[in-house]
Amino acid sequence: MEKIVSLGKRRGFIFPGSEIYGGLAGTFDYGPMGVLLKENIQQLWLALFRDSRDDMYGVDAAILMNPKVWESSGHVAGFSDPLVGCEKCKRRFRADHLDDPRRCPTCGGTLSEPRAFNMMFKTHAGAMEDESAIVYLRPETAGGIFVNYKNVVDSIHPKLPFGIAQIGKAFRNEIAPRDFIFRLRELSQMEVEYFVRPPEWEAAFDAWRATMHAYADALGLPRDAVHEFEVPAEDRAHYSKRTIDFEFDYPFGRKELWGLAYRTDFDLSAHQRGSGVSLEYLEDETKEKFIPHVIEPSLGVDRTVLAVLVSAYREDELGGETRAYLALSPRIAPVKAMVSPLLKNKPELVAKARAVYAALKREVPQVAWDDNGNIGKRYRRQDEIGTPFCLTIDFDTLGQENQTAPWLTDTVTLRDRDSGAQERLPITDAVARVKEAIR
Ligand code: GAP
């Protein structure tokens, strides 16, 4: 983990939140490379879970919602963790994370009896700071989907089964945020609520389960590091009748990566009761009315980013040196290719390299220009970012100029990140190779 945290900071992926003020526990900021990686991971999710399907729609709901939403959903009463405090050193812990819930793991002091600690962040909407103005930062993006179910039905008229997908921030006042971006207080989720006729729930559950495995494959997570865990009834969330946790072998142990839940009609029924608005679905043909049931694949973005970094991190010997690199799938790599002139003090090389860079960037936006330091250092830097290809313009490129079709015949060297091997090929072929790899 130390190596990943250090690479994350050194190469502009992930920084501690508010770092110059000493940080804020449970918060991290994504830097220039992290933003691109996170966006690519989200784009891949959108492609697989929403855009490649005919039965999926998107929403982008507000984070602040009417507090009645969280009363109806059961979060005000029950979204809590068991909190214990040490009478001696005053530290606080989650009782269910301790081997001995009576003894302080730090100083050995006596721990208090567990009490339910609600994890929702509270704030006030408007100028009054009294009870009537309390609003919550949403603890899951799902709430914004359920309250928009009727809006989507009334505006788009989808036929069952159909689903609503959303990516967004969620907030949880975790008692013990830890393990880098694994357990955060401010996190991002990618969630689907898929509405079905009640007898169809099992088939839909299995179909989404398969989609989640397909997504893990597309991200490049090794199959033997992803495990399904059937969550027993006593450990399931209050709304779920069946939950499978997708667990991942992180360096700090096997832990939950994503969840798949059968939420029954719990949420729509609760919001119908709480709001007084009918959320029944009307079958066109039979005129039957009922509350649809829900299958929910819920994926944390940050835990996915961490699993991707853990899976991609490699060290090997190359050119007599130990190097670290990220073997990221080209589809999600923040930079697809780096273009550089062999020497930066040769204007003719720089001009040609700039032309190749501009041509490639028109076709593939996520390419980088790098002329800092010697070529070996540039390659090492790009290896750590996970850039699959480096295109270098050298004197051989120039030597072939002034022909009738220079883009077809001029050559560059194309370096492969994982093997470090370089080959000389026409510029058009190098561009085609990059495009093919990310397709
Ligand atoms: N809507 C269902 C729901 O929120 P959850 O199991 O509480 O279910 C879903 O959370 C996913 O969100 C988890 O599988 C995980 O990927 C992510 N997640 C939950 N709490 C998190 C935290 N404190 N920090 C980072 N990710 C978290």
Side-chain angles (χ1 to χ4, degrees), residues 251-422:
F252 42 86
R254 186 178 292 185
K255 303 272 176 185
E256 179 186 338
L257 168 65
W258 307 321
L260 174 65
Y262 169 39
R263 287 181 84 132
T264 67
D265 60 350
F266 175 89
D267 299 271
L268 290 184
S269 294
H271 290 304
Q272 175 168 282
R273 276 195 305 278
S275 65
V277 174
S278 169
L279 298 178
E280 285 180 325
Y281 180 86
L282 172 68
E283 286 280 21
D284 258 357
E285 280 164 23
T286 59
K287 301 297 172 214
E288 190 196 349
K289 278 184 168 181
F290 60 93
I291 303 246
H293 281 216
V294 169
I295 305 299
E296 178 195 65
S298 175
L299 291 80
V301 176
D302 314 276
R303 286 188 190 182
T304 308
V305 171
L306 185 54
V308 162
L309 289 174
V310 165
S311 305
Y313 186 86
R314 308 264 194 289
E315 285 175 3
D316 68 1
E317 295 291 324
L318 193 68
E321 280 177 42
T322 304
R323 70 159 180 167
Y325 69 102
L326 293 180
L328 293 170
S329 148
R331 179 116 189 230
I332 57 170
V335 176
K336 312 304 184 195
M338 181 271 276
V339 180
S340 86
L342 182 65
L343 300 170
K344 77 175 193 187
N345 56 357
K346 298 282 174 202
E348 63 277 33
L349 279 184
V350 173
K352 186 76 183 181
R354 280 280 176 199
V356 172
Y357 172 68
L360 184 57
K361 201 165 175 70
R362 271 196 295 277
E363 309 233 18
V364 181
Q366 289 174 351
V367 296
W369 170 266
D370 193 351
D371 59 7
N372 250 335
N374 67 40
I375 193 77
K377 284 213 175 93
R378 292 178 219 161
Y379 288 157
R380 293 289 174 280
R381 196 156 45 230
Q382 295 302 325
D383 286 345
E384 286 200 333
I385 290 169
T387 306
F389 301 105
C390 290
L391 279 72
T392 304
I393 283 66
D394 57 16
F395 292 104
D396 285 353
T397 310
L398 294 182
Q400 297 162 41
E401 270 207 304
N402 299 325
Q403 299 158 20
T404 42
W407 290 101
L408 289 176
T409 52
D410 283 1
T411 58
V412 290
T413 62
L414 185 76
R415 176 182 179 273
D416 175 79
R417 173 196 63 202
D418 297 353
S419 65
Q422 299 184 39

Side-chain angles (χ1 to χ4, degrees), residues 79 139-142 172 174 181-189 191 193 237 239 245-246 256-259 261 263 296 298-304:
F79 190 59
E140 55 172 7
T141 56
R172 298 181 180 191
E174 295 281 356
I181 54 170
F182 178 80
R183 192 176 303 286
L184 295 168
R185 288 189 172 139
E186 177 175 340
L187 55 131
S188 297
Q189 290 183 316
E191 296 203 297
E193 307 303 325
Y239 48 71
D245 279 351
F246 282 63
E256 179 186 338
L257 168 65
W258 307 321
R263 287 181 84 132
E296 178 195 65
S298 175
L299 291 80
V301 176
D302 314 276
R303 286 188 190 182
T304 308

